[in-house]
Amino acid sequence: MNILITGVSSGIGATTAELLLKSGHHVYGTVRKAGDAGQLTRHPAFSALVMDVTDRPAIVEAMATIKATGQPLHAVINNAGIAVSGPLETIAEEDYRKQFDVNVFGNLAVSQEALPLLHAAREAGETNVKIINVGSVSGYVTAPFTSLYSASKFAVEALTDGMRRELIPFGIDVLSVAPGPVKTPIWKKGKTQTKAFEGNRYSHILSKLAAYTEGAEAGGVEPELVAGIIRDMLESDRPRPDRLVMKRNWVIRLLMLAPKRWQDKLFLKNMESNKRY
Ligand SMILES: NC(=O)c1ccc[n+]([C@@H]2O[C@H](COP(=O)([O-])OP(=O)(O)OC[C@H]3O[C@@H](n4cnc5c(N)ncnc54)[C@H](OP(=O)(O)O)[C@@H]3O)[C@@H](O)[C@H]2O)c1
């Protein structure tokens, strides 16, 4: 298969690209800076594309590069993402807009520009044509202080379900893989986001933030686990459209059924013990 994956400079994107290459697929991997694809560029079946998901002309150019190969594009993995943290009351407009620009509108823009290639693949008789969106457990339940990230990932679930239902007549499947905490650089990036907590009534949270973040990452899964599931979803004829990938994921499915006030208590209790879920 020929697969496009956004955000292969690190974490889940880099690990998934690596696994897909090892599994015999051709991978188009996007980076924001030329050179950030690292070891992947050594692989003959890897093509790096420079693209920011918030830059529509760059996305269009990347798709034109793929189209010019004359080969079908079978799948898109919308992996690129950022996690903005901070209290909803104090988070800066610039930051909350960025959260949605990357995780939601960037995801949609990449899918929109890739769809003509995916339709062309189906019309040429290719099967297993798919879009896989990397969501999050935060798209199922909302922990305090990453609420905007959660809102963006709830939106990713909506885009996934809506687009799947719109594309059923065309034979293109749209799926979401929603990991719980995964050991990737995203956590380290989050630790530096303290601005929205400073000098206001949430400043007491700052002393807990590092331990809370470290606790969540330490309890996380390795990116290889997520990569393996993405590969299975790509290769399977009829995969489950909503994969929640975390240890004891049944706890989350159960939590979603619990009354909201009960959920509130659990999140506050968890924060006290530096646990996220
Ligand atoms: N790690 C977790 O615990 C976890 C859990 C659930 C879901 N996820 C999701 O998994 C996905 C990958 O995250 P990760 O954990 O692997 O984190 P990561 O290592 O920080 O990787 C994020 C990737 O997205 C790219 N990216 C960020 N902003 C971009 C933009 N505007 N345009 C294009 N690419 C951009 C980054 O590129 P640069 O290097 O250029 O910034 C990087 O390649 C995200 O959607 C994230 O929300 C992660």
Side-chain angles (χ1 to χ4, degrees), residues 173-190:
D173 208 1
V174 186
L175 317 160
S176 133
V177 59
V182 187
K183 293 175 180 162
T184 74
I186 207 168
W187 294 97
K188 205 165 158 201
K189 296 174 192 172

Side-chain angles (χ1 to χ4, degrees), residues 7-13 30 32 36 51-54 79-82 98 102-103 134-137 149 153 179-187 189:
V8 298
S9 66
S10 63
I12 295 169
T30 80
R32 287 196 292 173
D36 273 4
M51 177 183 109
D52 189 306
V53 299
T54 63
N79 164 75
I82 56 169
K98 183 87 188 158
V102 177
N103 290 16
V134 180
S136 167
V137 62
Y149 177 66
K153 292 298 187 179
V182 187
K183 293 175 180 162
T184 74
I186 207 168
W187 294 97
K189 296 174 192 172

Side-chain angles (χ1 to χ4, degrees), residues 46-190:
F46 178 79
S47 313
L49 296 169
V50 178
M51 177 183 109
D52 189 306
V53 299
T54 63
D55 179 352
R56 178 75 73 153
I59 301 172
V60 170
E61 204 180 311
M63 298 307 164
T65 305
I66 297 173
K67 191 175 176 192
T69 64
Q71 296 298 313
L73 179 68
H74 297 94
V76 175
I77 304 167
N78 280 307
N79 164 75
I82 56 169
V84 167
S85 55
L88 283 171
E89 186 176 344
T90 54
I91 201 148
E93 179 167 354
E94 185 194 350
D95 294 334
Y96 66 65
R97 287 197 184 278
K98 183 87 188 158
Q99 180 68 90
F100 269 67
D101 281 345
V102 177
N103 290 16
V104 183
F105 305 128
N107 170 308
L108 180 59
V110 172
S111 295
Q112 284 185 338
E113 297 301 337
L115 271 165
L117 298 182
L118 299 176
H119 281 297
R122 279 296 290 142
E123 283 151 20
E126 300 291 336
T127 52
N128 256 348
V129 176
K130 291 185 180 116
I131 295 175
I132 299 183
N133 293 325
V134 180
S136 167
V137 62
S138 300
Y140 287 60
V141 288
T142 307
F145 307 118
T146 46
S147 312
L148 269 164
Y149 177 66
S150 237
S152 77
K153 292 298 187 179
F154 269 78
V156 167
E157 291 303 316
L159 289 181
T160 306
D161 288 344
M163 197 176 271
R164 184 177 59 258
R165 289 159 194 165
E166 289 170 13
L167 290 174
I168 285 170
F170 304 102
I172 298 171
D173 208 1
V174 186
L175 317 160
S176 133
V177 59
V182 187
K183 293 175 180 162
T184 74
I186 207 168
W187 294 97
K188 205 165 158 201
K189 296 174 192 172

Side-chain angles (χ1 to χ4, degrees), residues 232-243:
D232 292 349
M233 290 169 91
L234 282 168
E235 293 177 350
S236 159
D237 287 342
R238 202 170 159 74
R240 182 180 172 136
D242 58 336
R243 284 298 299 270

